[in-house]
Amino acid sequence: MTAQRRRQAWLTAMPFLFVALWSTGFIGAKFGLPYAEPFTFLFIRFVLTLALLVPLVQLMGGDWPKGAPLWGHIAVSGLLVHGAYLGGVFYGIYQGMPAGLASLLVGLQPLLTAILAGPLLNERLKPTQWMGLALGLAGIVLVLGGKLDPGMHLFEGFGLGALASVLVALIGISCGTLYQKRFCTGMPLLSGTVVQYLGAGVVLGLGALLFEERHVEWTPTFLLTLGWLVLVLSISAILLLMALIKRGEASRVASLFYLVPPVTALEAWWLFDEQLPLTSLVGMAIAITGVVLVVRGRPSARS
């Protein structure tokens, strides 16, 4: 295999590898949150991630962002992509929202991003891509709707605070994707990720200091979960996401998030023996079809 073919194979595999890694975040939250409060959990995760990333930047001789304005833009994107998104999801699950429902709600991101990308980034989707977004939405509803017990109320077991926090996560990841695409195109991948985690970590640290008791049970389960979230999610998956945003349109990148709930459902079936009825399997196929329609068509810019 030539170098060009290897590169092309890697570029083709990047989106699917990202989905596989990103989907484990909801599983990690389910494993880890019994042992630590959400903001404390995330602050520890970010500190450990920075402890690994900063020496890596120095070792690789990577450049740092040029100029204070770019540093500011990168920090804002990090606050949205990491702080608002992860903080909202973890707090919602901590307050009783099922991880599957949280995954469904933030899975609306591709539709919200596509709607906002038009006026903000001058991206215009083709009719087939709008059809793909609609199919993706229908698919994730079928996936998670099929997992609900008959007669179970969709919003039982948690309050408005949990719902509001997950909606903050949805808005944060959508706006963060668009903000980074517009203002952070000159961001060095590795050192820029460090700046993003610094911005998000400061805010989450303040949240832990002001609103939580900061008690942690350092059990083997928590340590293994923390290690996975740091190495696989906060470093590997995030670097893949930053690379995808840099090389692709915001709407196409966002459409990948439609695949996360189905993949999460498969992981929950494997790890927790959660059942996958026929409705959920059909939903997975529909969601994948929707993503293919969005990714295959390139949005055109408005004149």
Side-chain angles (χ1 to χ4, degrees):
M1 182 181 290
T2 65
Q4 180 64 25
R5 288 185 177 180
R6 285 196 298 269
R7 181 176 183 275
Q8 187 58 45
W10 167 243
L11 292 177
T12 301
M14 280 174 61
F16 303 101
L17 179 60
F18 166 75
V19 169
L21 298 181
W22 192 265
S23 64
T24 64
F26 296 95
I27 303 298
K30 187 169 182 177
F31 272 121
L33 282 173
Y35 307 102
E37 295 164 295
F39 298 151
T40 300
F41 189 177
L42 288 170
F43 180 71
I44 295 171
R45 171 179 167 180
F46 285 178
V47 168
L48 292 177
T49 302
L50 288 169
L52 294 175
L53 279 182
V54 172
L56 186 59
V57 173
Q58 298 300 115
L59 182 64
M60 298 180 65
D63 295 330
W64 289 90
K66 305 296 185 183
L70 183 56
W71 275 73
H73 285 311
I74 294 172
V76 170
S77 70
L79 177 60
L80 293 169
V81 172
H82 306 304
Y85 172 72
L86 290 175
V89 168
F90 273 56
Y91 185 81
I93 294 175
Y94 183 76
Q95 289 295 318
M97 178 176 286
L101 180 56
S103 175
L104 169 62
L105 292 176
V106 296
L108 298 174
Q109 185 222 347
L111 187 59
L112 181 57
T113 301
I115 292 170
L116 296 175
L120 295 179
L121 296 184
N122 205 31
E123 290 183 4
R124 183 172 57 195
L125 298 184
K126 298 176 181 178
T128 55
Q129 292 179 293
W130 281 110
M131 184 184 300
L133 290 168
L135 285 174
L137 175 60
I140 60 174
V141 169
L142 284 173
V143 168
L144 295 172
K147 295 173 65 182
L148 296 175
D149 295 329
M152 176 182 175
H153 193 276
L154 187 61
F155 296 107
E156 70 180 9
F158 58 91
L160 289 178
L163 178 60
S165 69
V166 174
L167 292 178
V168 167
L170 167 62
I171 295 170
I173 189 68
S174 302
C175 293
T177 300
L178 296 170
Y179 189 94
Q180 180 170 331
K181 183 65 180 177
R182 182 166 183 176
F183 296 108
C184 306
T185 53
M187 181 185 92
L189 189 59
L190 198 59
S191 60
T193 303
V194 170
V195 178
Q196 287 188 322
Y197 281 136
L198 283 171
V202 168
V203 173
L204 290 170
L206 286 174
L209 185 65
L210 295 174
F211 304 114
E212 296 180 347
E213 296 180 358
R214 301 172 299 283
H215 173 72
V216 179
E217 296 180 34
W218 297 95
T219 65
T221 299
F222 179 76
L223 290 172
L224 288 172
T225 301
L226 186 61
W228 177 269
L229 292 177
V230 168
L231 295 173
V232 176
L233 268 294
S234 292
I235 295 181
S236 302
I238 289 300
L239 289 177
L240 277 173
L241 176 61
M242 300 301 106
L244 289 167
I245 291 174
K246 192 170 184 178
R247 65 179 292 268
E249 294 85 358
S251 299
R252 296 177 70 206
V253 173
S255 69
L256 296 173
F257 285 83
Y258 271 150
L259 294 178
V260 172
V263 175
T264 302
L266 285 172
E267 292 165 349
W269 166 75
W270 179 51
L271 292 170
F272 307 117
D273 198 29
E274 294 184 7
Q275 297 303 306
L276 284 173
L278 180 61
T279 304
S280 294
L281 295 174
V282 171
M284 290 181 194
I286 292 175
I288 292 171
T289 302
V291 170
V292 170
L293 288 176
V294 174
V295 172
R296 288 183 63 182
R298 296 180 65 87
S300 56
R302 288 192 178 95
S303 57

